[in-house]
Each structure stands twice: as C-alpha cells, then as structure tokens.
Amino acid sequence: ATYPPELIEPCILAGSRTGDIVHDPFFGSGTTGEVAQRLGRQWLGCELNPEYQRLITDRTKQTGMQI
C-alpha cells in the first residue's frame, strides 16, 4: 500500500532524532526515505521489486546531485 507523507512523518519524528538512520524493510516507492531525508534523517530502504527503482531514485534525489 502507498502511504501519504503526512502519515509517515509523525512516526519518523516519534522514533528518531536528526541524524539517525530510519530503516524501511518494505521500501516500495520510497516515501519513507523522502520524508526521513526532509526531516534530517538518513535512511536505509530495502525493496525487492526492481520496478520501483526509478521512482525511489526520483523521490530521494538530492538537489544539486547527479545520479
């Protein structure tokens, strides 16, 4: 299931501090990484479906960096 960022943000804020690593073992489209990054956390995501790779890359791309 795809979750909106507004649902994930309180979980990340409650369970981590700035600079911590947030792990999502079912990374999917990368929403957790996108929100974690915006909140100053690092992230580690695991996803078996290669079809999500492009979406994950686009969602978590840092401004000014090329991949």
Side-chain angles (χ1 to χ4, degrees), residues 11-35:
C11 300
I12 293 174
L13 290 171
S16 65
R17 297 182 205 143
T18 301
D20 283 352
I21 298 174
V22 175
H23 179 235
D24 185 349
F26 306 100
F27 206 52
S29 64
T31 304
T32 300
E34 178 184 32
V35 174

Side-chain angles (χ1 to χ4, degrees), residues 1 3 6 10 12 14 16 19-20 27 32-34 36 38 43-45 48-49 51 58 60 63 65 67:
Y3 298 102
E6 296 79 20
I12 293 174
S16 65
D20 283 352
F27 206 52
T32 300
E34 178 184 32
R38 181 170 45 82
W43 56 268
L44 175 64
L48 293 175
N49 187 343
E51 294 178 19
D58 290 343
T60 59
T63 305
M65 294 186 72
I67 296 176

